[in-house]
Amino acid sequence: DNGNKFKGTNKGIIKTNDGIVIDADEFEYDKILNILNAKGNVKIKDNLKDITISANEITYNKNDEQIFTKGNSEAENQNTKIKAFEFKYDKILNVLNAKGNVEIINDFKDFIIFAEDVTYEKNLERISTKGFTKANFQSKYKFETNNITLLNNEMELSSSDNGKIITYANTLYEFNNYKYFINNKLLKANKVTINENILQSE
């Protein structure tokens, strides 16, 4: 296409001058639009932002510094791993939005979050979910709630919606409009009800 499109069909690596390394089975780069499409075992490493992303296929819009993924998407930095069907990663803002069977796993702080739509703001260490959300903290507490915000550094979980906690001692707490300080095991909420000795359900 008059030298404006470049294709690679037998696996390769692309490196940019701003710390991005992309490894994939197939590439197509549009020089005019400054957009790269890659398919097949795609892996992107952003050395400056300390994040690695893998997926079945990606689109990298270099002008906007945005990366879109589809299929078996995973993102990982030093402590946090995110799995989902698709991502939108804004390199400038350092914000990743994940959709479709999302799991966020942090082994260091011992929590897992499950939702359908999650935004991770890396600079603020803030995780936000939309819709129904499940979470396990410190291998002791199971949350079921909606639309949460987790401040990762403070380990503070909050929502203006209804929620419930099932503890390792089989106690159920139900409440709304709450803040839960995870490390201090302190709950501030409205309309709290407590039921003891319940059977936990998966």
Side-chain angles (χ1 to χ4, degrees), residues 72-147:
N72 295 319
S73 302
E74 291 192 14
E76 188 170 5
N77 63 17
Q78 186 175 6
N79 294 315
T80 303
K81 179 183 289 186
I82 303 174
K83 300 179 181 181
F85 177 74
E86 65 182 27
F87 293 151
K88 176 184 175 182
Y89 172 52
D90 190 312
K91 188 174 183 291
I92 297 172
L93 298 177
N94 207 10
V95 173
L96 186 143
N97 176 252
K99 292 184 178 179
N101 296 320
V102 185
E103 295 182 27
I104 299 183
I105 304 162
N106 187 313
D107 291 329
F108 179 72
K109 294 194 173 182
D110 192 10
F111 69 77
I112 303 175
I113 297 172
F114 305 90
E116 286 298 313
D117 189 331
V118 177
T119 298
Y120 177 33
E121 300 169 85
K122 178 66 175 68
N123 294 343
L124 300 176
E125 279 299 331
R126 180 166 61 195
I127 296 169
S128 304
T129 73
K130 292 182 180 179
F132 181 68
T133 304
K134 287 186 176 183
N136 297 336
F137 288 95
Q138 299 174 339
S139 304
K140 295 180 179 180
Y141 307 100
K142 295 183 178 182
F143 272 81
E144 291 185 8
T145 184
N146 293 284
N147 306 317

Side-chain angles (χ1 to χ4, degrees), residues 59-78:
T59 298
Y60 178 24
N61 186 326
K62 186 69 174 67
N63 291 339
D64 295 335
E65 289 294 357
Q66 292 183 340
I67 296 171
F68 302 87
T69 75
K70 285 187 178 180
N72 295 319
S73 302
E74 291 192 14
E76 188 170 5
N77 63 17
Q78 186 175 6

